[in-house]
Amino acid sequence: MGVIKLKNIRTFSYHGCLVEESKIGSNYRVDLEIEADLSTSAVSDKLADTVDYVHLNRIVVEEMAIRSELLEHAAKRIVDRTLKELILVNRVEVEVSKLNPPIGGDVEEVTIILSKKR
């Protein structure tokens, strides 16, 4: 078993419950971690034998571009799509963080974490 991590994927998205958030948008950070059997690719040195992190990044960017009221909803789409499209993935964990959230306080970020096993 092996792990692939994509850290600090930055997006500008329009998630949130407030009407203003759908108009002005916010900065987000996404961290993605997958577990997969990487033993074949470690020997073969072939992209076809592993989980392509370009594909993982594309999933995150495309799903974060779809507006959601809740971060949980965006994270679930990322998790579900990863498991659907990448058969080698056995487990996925995603952290979605809204930077400088409009919650009336000095808060650097709000983060939700979802994970799922095949």
Side-chain angles (χ1 to χ4, degrees):
M1 198 59 55
V3 173
I4 296 175
K5 295 181 181 181
L6 279 73
K7 295 182 180 181
N8 201 22
I9 302 168
R10 293 174 300 277
T11 69
F12 188 84
S13 304
Y14 296 87
H15 307 301
C17 296
L18 302 176
V19 174
E20 296 81 18
E21 292 174 302
S22 69
K23 294 177 182 175
I24 63 172
S26 295
N27 289 303
Y28 291 82
R29 188 191 79 237
V30 178
D31 296 318
L32 184 68
E33 178 177 303
I34 63 99
E35 290 180 9
D37 182 356
L38 303 178
S39 59
T40 300
S41 60
V43 174
S44 73
D45 195 29
K46 301 294 180 194
L47 181 60
D49 295 332
T50 194
V51 177
D52 186 352
Y53 50 79
V54 172
H55 192 158
L56 291 169
N57 185 66
R58 182 173 52 247
I59 289 170
V60 169
V61 170
E62 289 175 0
E63 293 304 322
M64 288 298 290
I66 301 168
R67 177 168 159 65
S68 293
E69 288 190 13
L70 302 178
L71 298 180
E72 294 91 319
H73 190 257
K76 182 179 183 326
R77 287 196 318 268
I78 292 167
V79 167
D80 290 347
R81 186 168 162 198
T82 299
L83 290 172
K84 179 181 178 189
E85 294 183 14
L86 299 164
I87 194 70
L88 290 177
V89 174
N90 296 316
R91 180 184 169 280
V92 60
E93 179 174 291
V94 64
E95 297 184 29
V96 179
S97 301
K98 179 181 273 192
L99 307 178
N100 301 310
I103 61 174
D106 187 11
V107 178
E108 183 177 336
E109 65 186 46
V110 173
T111 302
I112 64 94
I113 302 170
L114 288 181
S115 62
K116 189 174 182 180
K117 292 182 180 181
R118 190 175 296 283

